[in-house]
Amino acid sequence: NPYAGLVSHLRASWLSGKTRPMEYRMAQLEALGRFLDEKKQEILEATDLDMGKPSFEAYFTEILLCKNELNTTLNNLCHWMKDEYVEKNLVLQLDSAFIRKDPYGVVLIMAPWNYPIQLVLVPLIGAIAAGNCVIIKPSEISKNTERLLAETLSCYLDTDCFAVVTGGVQETTRLLENKFDYIFFTGSPRVGRIVMTAAAKHLTPVTLELGGKNPCYVSDTCDLSNVARRVAWGRFFNAGQTCIAPDYLLCTLEMQEKLMPALREAITEFFGSNPKESPDFGRIVGDKQFRRLRALLCSGRVAIGGQTDEAERYIAPTVLADVQPSDPAMQEEIFGPILPIVVVANMDEAIDFINARPRPLAIYAFSCDSKVVNQVLERTSSGGFCGNDTLMHFTLNSLPFGGIGNSGLGKYHGKFTFDTFSHHRGCLHRNMGLEALNTPRYPPYTQQKMGLLTATFEVKRKGTCTLL
Amino acid sequence: MERMQQVVGRARAAFNSGRSRPLEFRIQQLKALERMVQEKEKEILAALHADLHKDGPNAYSQEILGVLTELALAMEQLPSWAAPQHVKKDLLTMRDDIFINPEPLGVVLIIGAWNYPFMLVIMPLIGAIAAGNAVVVKPSEVSENTAQLVAELLPQYLDRELYPVVTGGVPETTELLAQRFDHILYTGNTAVGKIVMAAAAKHLTPVTLELGGKSPCYIDKDCDLAVACRRITWGKYMNCGQTCIAPDYILCDPSIQGKVVENIKATLQEFYGEDVKSSPDYERIINKRHFKRVLGLLEGQKIAHGGEADEASCFIAPTILTDVSPESKVMEEEIFGPVLPIVPVKSVEEAIEFINRREKPLALYVFSNNKQVIRRVIAETSSGGMTGNDVIMHSVVPNLPFGGVGHSGMGAYRGKYTFKTFSHHRACLIKDLKMEAVNKLRYPPVSQKKVDL
């Protein structure tokens, strides 16, 4: 077991208790803040090399969003760490009942390649804040960022408690043989199953941030150009390599015709007449992924874009019209700058279409009629939901971010990350005196004692529920 | 097997019909459940007596009172638990509607254990119904009378398609676990917990595992021994020691070991009289297999009190072992019986070290007049939950989550936590289709001005 030494080293640090004091956690988090400030250029360069990430996007997603999480955590850590006192029943009135937030111990964070800094740092911030030791496993596919993290994080964080492990499938498999106290995984459902199966051997709790096909329903009553811009922005951000990107559009035939010129206009507005020359449009991360995406282009008909360049791993912002459910683009999560449009007769058909498929990470619905948006919300299930926009629910760290069913289990962002990496321990601190109060519970049991017990323990209905 | 697929398929179709979602429906089902518990109290107590020799007042307080309390809480709080929760907005989202929507997960599975056979299926069922799910209930086959009764009663009071009861042993449970569920709550042992989680992993099903372990009980030299020992005796020997959060073993200074034994003996006399076997308040071991297992743990030990056993009735007397070695068999596995080992330790440091060398337990107990000692033990150890200066009681506080950590489990339930466990908290952001000007900041093409903004 090649990682046994590393894991036991971290476990020894954990057992020493050094990650527990708030001052220690704050100091490590401040160091992460310095990493983001001092290595900003390196981060922008590495993500550019890895997938041609436009620097605006890289700054926004890899630096700004991380700093927000960091500041939210630093501002609130003291409060989050406090014991939460709870309401008690009659018999416990003189006692102290509270929830203590205990760190788990040594946790593992496995990150993917598409937002390689953010998807390491945001969980890491919560894991450190919660008092754990952490092993970080960045994706080997975004090799420049992997190298950056492996080489520089150790200059900022305490190497006794935080380590970066690099490598591919073999190394990850060996790593997963070890016992961790929590595993946080972001990636595909297929690998999510492998991670959870490995975790089951040690009864390690997990958070799995997975993916799926995020449907985007556009109703007939909507502001065409705003819809087109918001959808195009969400779809083509990071060249489509975003877990919550609108994966495919559902709308009527009429709407498909109307949307097309609006989408064309939005794309031109964003990337100019030749997106290949725009500094604001990214590239596909690797050759394998490029080829996979290119094969999806034979779905429906190419209405916008469709150009590719293998040498640059460039796929133009593309919209496919008249796509059939049986087409290649509808068989897997796209994860690229291709937007298929599937025609449906009406909202009910769109909802049925969505519900016949695995529950996605996000669902989008566009309509000027709020009743339509609410209908889609109420009659479907997904990790998160955004009405009349795309991606934006992700940026609010007061909202939990996570999937359901195939798109994942657990959630994070803001306080939810801290809670994810803490064990909420129910604690009751009783008085050693007043033993007389305990008498009703002791044998020998009598009806009289039963009456007393019921009176002191039960929760009475306050009144009839107003719904009935 | 056809049967499991059919049962789960029917539950899923029933869930998809949407009828379990309206709050009125859920409350109506919870009321029906409450009626069942009240109307069939005699039958329930009889089944518990047949399975565990649990008698009336005891069974009522252990298994029925808690359930009724939980039902009252759920019916009272449901509107507030199920309401969308609005959250803090930022500058960009001032005009938007932002909330967390609690939604049912779908079809969930509850697997119960045999030691509190009625409570351990009904408690989670309450929260699962309250959260709007369809629920497949699988009571433990080991407590056969209660399993049989639950299978008969639930369909008489609740929606039959939404809340089916499945009975059977290992083969039936294995087949059940091959089906797809949206959450599985399992109460039982660590070994089977791993099997349940591995099965769940195939479908990416989230799990709540309420397992066990050896819950340590540290008695400080500075404490009221009479009171401490009475409370420990109550928690240890209730249900004949077959409680997941029973104090499993005692850690104390060798100088007070003798007094601890004397105090426990005196309390046992007070609780069960001279002849424990004839006390109606003392239970029996669930079956011959566990009887043999628990008795086997006494081998080679110093029995300070008890040790009598009768196989025919699965009776094992309340037993205390002294000067127990940490390497002995009784210190390897969760005892789950009326045997209380005392392991001598010289200090609270030694106790903490001892506890931390072992798997994280479901519960942890510490008795001391000195608040600092208690605070220290809490701060330097980890456990599912804990009680200071008493045992068991943290599990009856309605607003404390109940669950394990590490080998003692994952996830938690009770009260609102059951509702949360069986809900999906969906993040929702609803924007205006107008007000596009604000969005322009984020669109390409990018100029330095936008970056600065």
Side-chain angles (χ1 to χ4, degrees):
Chain A
N1 185 345
Y3 299 105
L6 176 64
V7 177
S8 66
H9 177 75
L10 256 57
R11 198 167 285 290
S13 303
W14 154 250
L15 286 170
S16 78
K18 87 194 284 212
T19 57
R20 303 189 79 137
M22 187 178 80
E23 297 74 21
Y24 176 88
R25 305 182 202 185
M26 299 277 279
Q28 296 299 306
L29 291 172
E30 307 270 14
L32 272 183
R34 283 197 306 278
F35 165 77
L36 285 170
D37 289 334
E38 291 167 18
K39 295 295 170 192
K40 175 173 145 188
Q41 259 324 106
E42 285 85 338
I43 293 171
L44 298 184
E45 274 161 24
T47 51
D48 180 32
L49 284 169
D50 281 331
M51 65 203 93
K53 207 187 272 267
S55 52
F56 180 84
E57 287 184 8
Y59 178 74
F60 185 68
T61 62
E62 308 303 291
I63 299 187
L64 185 61
L65 284 182
C66 295
K67 291 220 81 175
N68 282 353
E69 287 284 337
L70 201 57
N71 290 337
T72 301
T73 305
L74 285 166
N75 290 339
N76 292 287
L77 184 55
C78 180
H79 179 66
W80 292 351
M81 277 177 70
K82 286 202 164 86
D83 290 336
E84 246 178 75
Y85 286 85
V86 302
E87 237 181 84
K88 302 162 283 198
N89 40 25
L90 199 65
V91 78
L92 300 169
Q93 280 310 308
L94 298 168
D95 306 311
S96 177
F98 56 94
I99 301 171
R100 162 69 54 94
K101 319 297 172 68
D102 277 341
Y104 275 107
V106 179
V107 308
L108 170 65
I109 294 174
M110 301 171 65
W113 51 261
N114 57 334
Y115 293 89
I117 299 287
Q118 188 207 106
L119 296 175
V120 164
L121 244 51
V122 176
L124 179 61
I125 287 166
I128 294 177
N132 301 283
C133 289
V134 191
I135 293 187
I136 297 151
K137 169 66 186 70
S139 169
E140 71 282 11
I141 294 175
S142 42
K143 2 185 241 298
N144 296 283
T145 321
E146 183 197 38
R147 193 179 326 131
L148 177 66
L149 287 168
E151 286 170 9
T152 50
L153 268 186
S154 54
C155 306
Y156 291 88
L157 297 178
D158 180 351
T159 52
D160 277 337
C161 302
F162 309 106
V164 178
V165 165
T166 57
V169 176
Q170 307 263 38
E171 288 79 7
T172 310
T173 309
R174 300 312 306 274
L175 187 58
L176 283 170
E177 285 167 16
N178 293 281
K179 177 179 171 178
F180 292 99
D181 301 303
Y182 203 95
I183 297 178
F184 186 101
F185 169 80
T186 307
S188 72
R190 185 185 67 87
V191 181
R193 281 187 182 84
I194 296 172
V195 171
M196 189 168 172
T197 304
K201 297 201 172 80
H202 296 288
L203 286 172
T204 299
V206 300
T207 289
L208 305 174
E209 296 274 330
L210 311 176
K213 292 180 77 59
N214 305 317
C216 180
Y217 171 65
V218 179
S219 86
D220 286 340
T221 48
C222 70
D223 184 318
L224 274 178
S225 61
N226 287 351
V227 171
R229 270 199 215 95
R230 296 174 191 193
V231 170
W233 176 70
R235 172 74 279 188
F236 302 119
F237 197 91
N238 202 28
Q241 297 159 119
T242 306
C243 56
I244 43 166
D247 188 276
Y248 64 97
L249 219 71
L250 290 166
C251 63
T252 58
L253 190 59
E254 199 192 321
M255 188 44 45
Q256 185 185 240
E257 298 320 305
K258 287 197 188 144
L259 261 180
M260 213 55 83
L263 283 167
R264 203 172 280 119
E265 196 180 311
I267 292 172
T268 311
E269 195 183 301
F270 292 171
F271 309 118
S273 50
N274 186 2
K276 202 169 173 194
E277 288 166 12
S278 165
D280 300 326
F281 185 69
R283 295 292 180 267
I284 305 307
V285 73
D287 297 320
K288 193 172 83 154
Q289 290 83 355
F290 172 85
R291 287 194 284 270
R292 178 187 67 80
L293 283 165
R294 191 175 51 189
L296 301 181
L297 290 171
C298 60
S299 312
R301 62 177 165 87
V302 176
I304 303 174
Q307 302 90 346
T308 67
D309 179 340
E310 187 152 4
E312 271 195 50
R313 291 196 297 272
Y314 165 81
I315 296 182
T318 301
V319 179
L320 305 172
D322 299 322
V323 175
Q324 295 304 309
S326 52
D327 282 336
M330 290 306 289
Q331 303 317 310
E332 53 183 81
E333 183 175 0
I334 293 170
F335 228 66
I338 300 169
L339 179 67
I341 302 184
V342 174
V343 166
V344 289
N346 48 44
M347 179 189 74
D348 288 326
E349 213 179 280
I351 290 174
D352 288 341
F353 189 95
I354 294 170
N355 287 340
R357 288 167 168 69
R359 290 181 287 191
L361 195 47
I363 290 180
Y364 300 109
F366 285 83
S367 180
C368 281
D369 183 352
S370 64
K371 281 202 273 330
V372 169
V373 172
N374 279 313
Q375 280 272 298
V376 177
L377 170 59
E378 276 165 33
R379 290 163 58 186
T380 61
S381 176
S382 61
F385 178 91
C386 189
N388 293 331
D389 208 343
T390 58
L391 311 190
M392 292 303 284
H393 61 293
F394 183 88
T395 63
L396 276 159
N397 64 26
S398 49
L399 279 178
F401 180 72
I404 184 176
N406 246 43
S407 55
L409 54 100
K411 53 192 186 272
Y412 74 124
H413 282 187
K415 178 169 190 279
F416 300 103
T417 323
F418 176 86
D419 287 339
T420 287
F421 286 107
S422 315
H423 167 59
H424 288 64
R425 188 182 190 187
C427 301
L428 176 65
H429 185 159
R430 299 208 72 188
N431 208 300
M432 191 85 89
L434 299 166
E435 181 62 356
L437 286 181
N438 279 344
T439 323
R441 77 188 196 198
Y442 296 138
Y445 302 120
T446 61
Q447 272 312 118
Q448 186 198 44
K449 279 188 180 178
M450 177 73 324
L452 266 169
L453 205 66
T454 311
T456 48
F457 267 95
E458 70 177 353
V459 170
K460 281 203 148 47
R461 290 294 308 278
K462 291 203 193 113
T464 359
C465 179
T466 52
L467 283 173
L468 291 175
Chain B
M1 266 182 257
E2 258 285 322
R3 213 176 86 78
M4 296 301 167
Q5 227 173 22
Q6 276 177 335
V7 169
V8 180
R10 256 201 315 273
R12 192 161 289 287
F15 175 75
N16 287 340
S17 79
R19 69 174 181 275
S20 63
R21 304 188 74 139
L23 295 196
E24 297 82 6
F25 177 86
R26 306 183 206 182
I27 290 188
Q28 178 207 84
Q29 294 297 306
L30 292 175
K31 270 184 126 35
L33 193 54
E34 187 183 53
R35 263 197 335 270
M36 179 190 97
V37 176
Q38 290 163 339
E39 289 171 10
K40 299 295 176 181
E41 185 185 306
K42 255 191 15 232
E43 285 86 339
I44 297 168
L45 295 179
L48 292 171
H49 185 82
D51 282 328
L52 287 149
H53 199 263
K54 235 189 264 234
D55 88 325
N58 199 1
Y60 187 88
S61 70
Q62 284 176 16
E63 305 223 33
I64 296 191
L65 185 57
V67 162
L68 289 173
T69 303
E70 191 89 342
L71 275 162
L73 186 71
M75 288 190 277
E76 181 70 51
Q77 299 290 324
L78 183 53
S80 108
W81 289 349
Q85 214 191 304
H86 289 265
V87 300
K88 210 166 84 135
K89 304 190 205 186
D90 63 17
L91 205 61
L92 279 176
T93 50
M94 271 302 142
R95 290 181 46 118
D96 306 321
D97 205 5
I98 311 175
F99 55 98
I100 301 171
N101 213 33
E103 301 178 356
L105 287 168
V107 181
V108 306
L109 171 64
I110 292 171
I111 302 178
W114 54 258
N115 57 334
Y116 292 89
F118 185 74
M119 188 204 33
L120 291 175
V121 289
I122 304 296
M123 275 290 215
L125 176 62
I126 293 166
I129 294 176
N133 300 286
V135 191
V136 176
V137 175
K138 166 69 187 68
S140 168
E141 72 282 10
V142 178
S143 41
E144 12 173 77
N145 296 283
T146 314
Q148 198 44 40
L149 185 68
V150 169
E152 278 165 19
L153 289 182
L154 246 51
Q156 286 174 33
Y157 286 83
L158 302 180
D159 183 307
R160 288 168 187 216
E161 288 171 347
L162 282 171
Y163 316 112
V165 181
V166 168
T167 54
V170 174
E172 287 80 3
T173 311
T174 308
E175 201 45 50
L176 194 55
L177 284 171
Q179 309 307 313
R180 212 200 108 222
F181 293 97
D182 301 305
H183 194 100
I184 299 176
L185 188 147
Y186 166 77
T187 305
N189 68 56
T190 303
V192 179
K194 291 182 181 171
I195 296 172
V196 171
M197 188 172 173
K202 295 202 174 72
H203 296 291
L204 290 171
T205 299
V207 297
T208 297
L209 304 175
E210 298 272 328
L211 309 176
K214 295 181 77 59
S215 301
C217 179
Y218 173 66
I219 306 178
D220 194 31
K221 274 200 282 197
D222 172 19
C223 93
D224 185 335
L225 272 182
V227 171
C229 292
R230 184 182 290 114
R231 297 178 183 187
I232 291 170
T233 306
W234 169 70
K236 173 76 202 185
Y237 299 106
M238 72 162 58
N239 208 28
C240 206
Q242 297 161 124
T243 303
C244 52
I245 44 170
D248 186 278
Y249 63 96
I250 288 179
L251 293 166
C252 71
D253 193 283
S255 65
I256 58 169
Q257 195 181 215
K259 281 208 217 84
V260 168
V261 173
E262 286 316 307
N263 276 292
I264 296 180
K265 271 164 78 164
T267 310
L268 284 170
Q269 177 102 329
E270 200 186 303
F271 286 179
Y272 305 115
E274 272 299 337
D275 179 20
V276 183
K277 205 167 175 199
S278 56
S279 162
D281 300 328
Y282 189 70
E283 289 93 343
R284 299 291 181 265
I285 301 295
I286 183 80
N287 61 23
K288 297 274 191 300
R289 180 170 74 88
H290 282 285
F291 171 87
K292 291 198 177 95
R293 181 187 63 79
V294 176
L295 212 55
L297 301 174
L298 300 180
E299 241 169 273
Q301 298 296 341
K302 241 195 257 173
I303 299 179
H305 180 75
E308 302 89 359
D310 170 37
E311 184 160 350
S313 57
C314 286
F315 166 83
I316 298 182
T319 301
I320 310 171
L321 308 173
T322 49
D323 294 315
V324 177
S325 143
E327 281 79 43
S328 50
K329 191 142 191 267
V330 76
M331 286 307 290
E332 266 173 40
E333 53 180 81
E334 184 174 358
I335 293 167
F336 228 64
V339 173
L340 180 58
I342 303 180
V343 177
V345 289
K346 296 265 175 43
S347 62
V348 69
E349 286 83 17
E350 208 182 301
I352 290 173
E353 218 192 316
F354 187 95
I355 292 168
N356 287 342
R357 258 186 271 127
R358 289 152 170 271
E359 294 296 343
K360 297 176 192 174
L362 187 53
L364 186 145
Y365 303 112
V366 46
F367 286 82
S368 179
N369 281 330
N370 183 345
K371 285 204 180 104
Q372 291 311 323
V373 168
I374 296 186
R375 286 209 193 101
R376 189 177 166 188
V377 173
I378 300 178
E380 295 179 27
T381 61
S382 183
S383 63
M386 65 81 58
T387 300
N389 292 333
D390 206 340
V391 298
I392 313 285
M393 296 299 282
H394 64 282
S395 67
V396 307
V397 182
N399 294 300
L400 281 183
F402 182 77
V405 66
H407 273 213
S408 56
M410 60 181 78
Y413 74 114
R414 288 297 163 85
K416 70 177 178 206
Y417 297 99
T418 321
F419 180 89
K420 284 184 181 194
T421 288
F422 288 116
S423 301
H424 171 59
H425 291 82
R426 191 179 189 190
C428 301
L429 168 62
I430 312 219
K431 303 198 73 157
D432 212 305
L433 245 185
K434 310 232 169 15
M435 304 289 292
E436 187 61 354
V438 175
N439 279 351
K440 290 208 155 61
L441 283 173
R442 74 193 198 206
Y443 297 146
V446 171
S447 65
Q448 198 47 45
K449 250 197 340 217
K450 276 196 192 174
V451 174
D452 294 337
L453 260 164

